[in-house]
Amino acid sequence: MNVYQAQKALTPASQIVKEGGTIILVAECIEGTGEESFEQEMSLYKTPCEVMESFASKEFVIGPHKAYLWARTLVKARTIIVSDQIPPTLAKTLMIEVTSSLQEALDMALPNYTSPKVAVLPYASSMIPIINTPLE
């Protein structure tokens, strides 16, 4: 429904992706970010590291906490969202790349790796992955 909820799928994906790998998140996001405070928090910073550093010095608040969880993934892996509901200005605020098709996302990601390992997590927001070797 929105980026705020779609973030839940990034947590297990970030647990199995190799440092510097790529996560492709397929999420329609017809409601945009879904939480104004999340988007506002993201708009305050230029890099995911800045988001995380700021969070460490603040009191925990529901809404903006998603910015920390979001940034934690971005620090580890390139993140591409497949959605035709996220305009370029929002993508810039969220510090991600957006494409309207899964094929285009794969075309953007795969040339960066010589022997990519790919995992598909159809129920990512409700799973805990166990893996011995991180994926690219």
Side-chain angles (χ1 to χ4, degrees), residues 81-82 92 129:
I81 293 187
V82 177
K92 184 176 180 179

Side-chain angles (χ1 to χ4, degrees), residues 72-85:
R72 182 177 64 179
T73 298
L74 300 183
V75 165
K76 186 172 184 185
R78 176 185 184 190
T79 303
I80 303 169
I81 293 187
V82 177
S83 171
D84 57 4
Q85 302 294 314

Side-chain angles (χ1 to χ4, degrees), residues 7-122:
Q7 180 282 322
K8 294 174 185 175
L10 290 181
T11 298
S14 69
Q15 292 171 343
I16 66 170
V17 71
K18 185 183 272 187
E19 191 83 30
T22 301
I23 295 172
I24 298 173
L25 176 62
V26 180
E28 191 173 9
C29 300
I30 58 172
E31 297 176 355
T33 54
E35 173 60 44
E36 190 176 325
S37 62
F38 162 60
E39 185 176 344
Q40 287 175 342
E41 188 72 14
M42 290 297 296
S43 72
L44 298 174
Y45 308 99
K46 291 185 168 74
T47 69
C49 288
E50 288 178 7
V51 175
M52 293 177 64
E53 289 168 7
S54 172
F55 187 81
S57 65
K58 294 180 180 179
E59 187 174 317
F60 181 86
V61 178
I62 295 290
H65 80 289
K66 284 286 188 174
Y68 170 81
L69 296 172
W70 188 261
R72 182 177 64 179
T73 298
L74 300 183
V75 165
K76 186 172 184 185
R78 176 185 184 190
T79 303
I80 303 169
I81 293 187
V82 177
S83 171
D84 57 4
Q85 302 294 314
I86 299 176
T89 53
L90 180 56
K92 184 176 180 179
T93 297
L94 297 175
M95 304 174 204
I96 52 153
E97 297 170 76
V98 178
T99 182
S100 60
S101 76
L102 179 56
Q103 185 61 58
E104 187 178 349
L106 290 168
D107 291 346
M108 291 166 63
L110 292 178
N112 297 309
Y113 308 102
T114 53
S115 299
K117 295 178 185 173
V118 178
V120 177
L121 309 176

